[in-house]
Amino acid sequence: MPYLLAVTVLWAFSFSLIGEYLAGRVDSDFAVLARVAVAALVFLPFTLWRGLPRRLLAGFWLAGALQFGVTYLCLYRSFQVLTVPEVLLFTVLTPIYVTLLDDALARRFSPWALVAALVAVGGGVVIRFERLEGEYLIGFLLLQLANLTFAAGQVLCRQLLMRYPTEQPLHRFFGHFFLGAMVLVLPSFLLFGNSDKLPSTALQWGILLWMGLFATALGLFWWVKGSVKVDAGTLAVMNELHVPAGLVVNLLIWNRDADIPRLALGGAIILASLWLNRLGRRRLATA
């Protein structure tokens, strides 16, 4: 849980930084490429190429392509048509995807985990629901694809680490995750990137470096590491905490208007879903 909480804070800052300083100013494909490249460089010196299960490595390449490649290419594009609050709203369905995909890979059905995920989604909707106006359908669809692939990537990593235990620590093969992402993000930049919209200020370069080192390299490493220390229901609910966390960051740093009672109520509902999931686990254990 501490790993997941720490990453939630890191990613809460990421939403605001992208929306405030990068979206519409820096080419989205280059921004994603920069983050992946920095993260890959962090782990490459430690990366093992032999002596690990082939399915484990192949799975990490696939997970990287999904969880970072597809997810972040869609996420950055969504900022071109959506505001930061709208992005946060449209990401509330991720817990449901996490629960259903984890059950599918494990060939089981966990009703308590699904109920907890639905309650967490309800908390996110309470916080962010408001009447939508304008052309938001494309942004919504982009983010649902991003949500689905982000859920698939983290669930796949979780299942791989449980099915193929190895004596090697995670950092010795986590570089394969970012190499898998590079397979998608590099061609995407070469094909669709706009070289006229590369970072032009030290602040933009600094943000990309910060996000590559912390939100991407450290954040995804901790998230995967933490995912195997909790059950699928808890992991699903933790995917919802970025909504209140992101809005709190937006409020505290940029002093944006926020409905504090709704934020508090929604946050309380999300936290209650963690308790609900734990209650379900205890009942199943004693059944």
Side-chain angles (χ1 to χ4, degrees):
M1 184 71 78
Y3 287 114
L4 302 181
L5 287 172
V7 178
T8 297
V9 175
L10 285 175
W11 287 348
F13 282 92
S14 296
F15 280 102
S16 292
L17 290 173
I18 294 170
E20 293 292 331
Y21 298 111
L22 300 181
R25 299 176 178 86
V26 176
D27 177 69
S28 61
D29 290 291
F30 180 81
V32 176
L33 174 61
R35 292 181 63 175
V36 175
V38 170
L41 289 174
V42 169
F43 285 99
L44 278 180
F46 308 104
T47 300
L48 291 174
W49 300 92
R50 296 179 180 178
L52 292 166
R54 291 184 179 180
R55 290 187 177 182
L56 176 65
L57 295 185
F60 264 74
W61 278 68
L62 176 59
L66 291 172
Q67 191 176 349
F68 201 98
V70 178
T71 296
Y72 281 83
L73 288 173
C74 292
L75 174 64
Y76 274 76
R77 280 169 168 78
S78 73
F79 279 99
Q80 298 174 11
V81 293
L82 300 173
T83 63
V84 172
E86 287 172 337
V87 170
L88 290 170
L89 171 62
F90 291 153
T91 57
V92 298
L93 296 177
T94 305
I96 297 175
Y97 299 140
V98 171
T99 301
L100 293 178
L101 288 171
D102 191 80
D103 279 352
L105 288 179
R107 297 180 180 179
R108 64 167 185 261
F109 176 62
S110 306
W112 279 98
L114 180 58
V115 170
L118 289 169
V119 172
V121 168
V125 172
V126 166
I127 295 171
R128 284 310 322 153
F129 182 77
E130 56 188 56
R131 185 174 180 178
L132 299 172
E133 298 179 355
E135 299 294 332
Y136 59 84
L137 179 59
I138 293 178
F140 173 81
L141 294 176
L142 280 172
L143 282 176
Q144 295 323 298
L145 179 58
N147 294 341
L148 182 60
T149 54
F150 185 74
Q154 60 185 295
V155 168
L156 179 57
C157 285
R158 181 174 184 272
Q159 291 290 335
L160 287 168
L161 290 174
M162 291 190 297
R163 292 184 184 185
Y164 303 102
T166 174
E167 295 181 355
Q168 296 295 338
L170 181 60
H171 71 274
R172 296 305 306 272
F173 56 92
F174 199 64
H176 293 280
F177 178 94
F178 294 110
L179 293 176
M182 190 69 73
V183 170
L184 288 183
V185 300
L186 180 57
S188 181
F189 172 68
L190 295 176
L191 291 172
F192 307 111
N194 184 354
S195 58
D196 294 329
K197 297 185 69 175
L198 298 182
S200 57
T201 67
L203 178 60
Q204 291 171 343
W205 282 109
I207 290 173
L208 288 175
L209 180 61
W210 183 90
M211 295 182 75
L213 287 173
F214 295 100
T216 305
L218 184 60
L220 285 168
F221 177 76
W222 277 357
W223 192 264
V224 171
K225 195 174 181 67
S227 70
V228 297
K229 298 181 180 296
V230 298
D231 62 282
T234 300
L235 179 63
V237 173
M238 291 303 297
N239 273 268
E240 199 69 17
L241 277 182
H242 75 277
V243 177
L247 289 172
V248 168
V249 169
N250 228 27
L251 175 65
L252 294 178
I253 298 181
W254 285 278
N255 198 27
R256 298 292 173 82
D257 294 334
D259 190 331
I260 303 300
R262 283 178 60 182
L263 180 60
L265 176 59
I269 292 173
I270 294 172
L271 292 177
S273 69
L274 285 172
W275 171 83
L276 183 63
N277 179 69
R278 181 172 295 182
L279 175 64
R281 289 175 57 202
R282 289 177 179 175
R283 289 195 173 186
L284 289 174
T286 58

